[in-house]
Amino acid sequence: MRPLLYAANWKMHLPPAEARAFAERFLALTSPVSGRSLWFFPPAVSLEGTAVALRGRPDIRVGAQDVHWEPKGAFTGATSVPLAAGAGAAGALVGHSERRHVFGETDAETGRKVQALLGAGLTALLCVGEKLDQREAGQTEAVCLRQLRAGLEGVTGGAWERVVIAYEPVWAIGTGRNATPEDAAQVHRAIQAELARLGAPGRRPVLYGGSVNAGNAAALTAQPEVDGVLVGGASLDVEGWAGIVGRG
Ligand code: PGA
C-alpha cells in the first residue's frame, strides 16, 4: 500500500490537560495501520505532555507549530529548535499560512527555520499555498513554487529525507472550501517537479491541507499525487480524527 501521512495541526487549541486526554483517548481508539504515519502539532505548552502520552506508538510523531531559527537567546515568546526538541518534538511546521499572513513571516524567514530544523536533525514540514486573489490571477503555481524555493534554499544530501511539504491553499483553510482532488493533484505535480529541480534525490511526501474532513479526506488521498493530509479543525475532535486516519 502507498505510504500516507496524516498530520493534525491543533493551532491555538487544547491546553496541556486536554491534549493529554486527547492523546490517551486516541490511543484507545486506534492502532497503527501499515504504511500510515501520523504527526501531531500541539500548541507549544502542550507539546511535552502530548509527546509523552504518545511515545509508545512508533507510527506517531509530535512536532511544534513554529520555531525560531536561532538556537537560543533573547527572543521573548519564541521557541527554538533545541527547546522544541527537548519537549519531544521530532519536527515542526514552517511557513503555515497563519504564520505568513497573520504574523507577517517572510519567505526568507521560512528558509532560516527549515535550515535550523534540518541542521538539528529534525523534520521540517514546509507549508506553501496561494491566496484567493493569487489563484484568481492564475498565479497559484508561481506563488507555491516561489515559497518552496525560498523555504528549501540550501537543502542538500541526507537532509532531504527530513523534508515534508504541505500544499494548503489559503482560501481553503478553515473556510469549508476545498480544492478539488484534481486541482490539488495538479499543484502537487508541480511541487514534485520543482523538488526534483531543487535536487531532492527521491520523491518527498506532499500533503494537502485546507478544510480536510471525514467527508473529503479519502477522495483527496485517492489521488496518487496526494501523500496525506494536514488537518486543522477536523483534528480537534478525537473520534472524528481517529476515523479520518483509520479510513481508506
Ligand atoms: P483547516 O486547517 O483544516 O481547519 O482548514 C488546516 C491548516 O491550517 O493546516
Side-chain angles (χ1 to χ4, degrees):
M1 208 213 275
R2 196 164 61 90
L4 289 174
L5 205 156
Y6 292 80
N9 174 10
W10 287 347
K11 308 194 179 186
M12 206 163 69
H13 300 282
L14 300 184
E18 286 179 35
R20 275 198 307 277
F22 185 114
E24 280 154 20
R25 178 91 182 113
F26 184 82
L27 292 180
L29 287 171
T30 63
S31 20
V33 177
S34 165
R36 293 197 183 179
S37 47
L38 308 176
W39 277 91
F40 286 80
F41 295 97
V45 295
S46 303
L47 185 56
E48 184 169 21
T50 309
V52 168
L54 294 172
R55 70 178 156 203
R57 279 275 297 267
D59 58 322
I60 300 181
R61 277 172 290 177
V62 174
Q65 294 175 9
D66 181 43
V67 287
H68 196 277
W69 52 85
E70 291 293 343
K72 60 182 171 186
F75 299 98
T76 301
T79 303
S80 68
V81 172
L83 287 175
L93 300 176
V94 177
H96 186 278
S97 75
E98 286 144 23
R99 299 302 318 171
R100 293 179 190 270
H101 303 302
V102 180
F103 296 98
E105 184 170 309
T106 65
D107 280 350
E109 286 167 346
T110 65
R112 297 172 80 176
K113 293 178 181 195
V114 169
Q115 286 299 335
L117 285 158
L118 299 180
L122 275 68
T123 293
L125 201 165
L126 176 68
C127 306
V128 300
E130 82 287 2
K131 296 197 283 186
L132 186 57
D133 58 323
Q134 294 168 326
R135 168 161 285 247
E136 286 169 347
Q139 296 166 352
T140 295
E141 288 183 15
V143 169
C144 293
L145 301 188
R146 187 202 76 221
Q147 293 175 343
L148 199 69
R149 284 190 293 271
L152 299 176
E153 200 183 319
V155 178
T156 53
W160 279 109
E161 293 298 317
R162 299 191 304 282
V163 171
V164 177
I165 307 299
Y167 167 53
E168 298 203 300
V170 180
W171 48 271
I173 294 178
T175 58
R177 293 181 62 192
N178 267 133
T180 64
E182 294 73 21
D183 278 350
Q186 188 182 333
V187 180
H188 284 219
R189 273 194 295 278
I191 289 173
Q192 285 292 0
E194 190 68 21
L195 289 171
R197 275 193 289 276
L198 290 171
R203 198 182 145 84
R204 299 306 309 147
V206 182
L207 316 184
Y208 172 80
S211 296
V212 174
N213 58 38
N216 57 32
L220 287 157
T221 54
Q223 298 288 325
E225 295 87 350
V226 178
D227 303 306
V229 285
L230 175 57
V231 183
S235 73
L236 291 170
D237 170 65
V238 66
E239 268 83 15
W241 179 235
I244 290 173
V245 306
R247 212 171 284 130

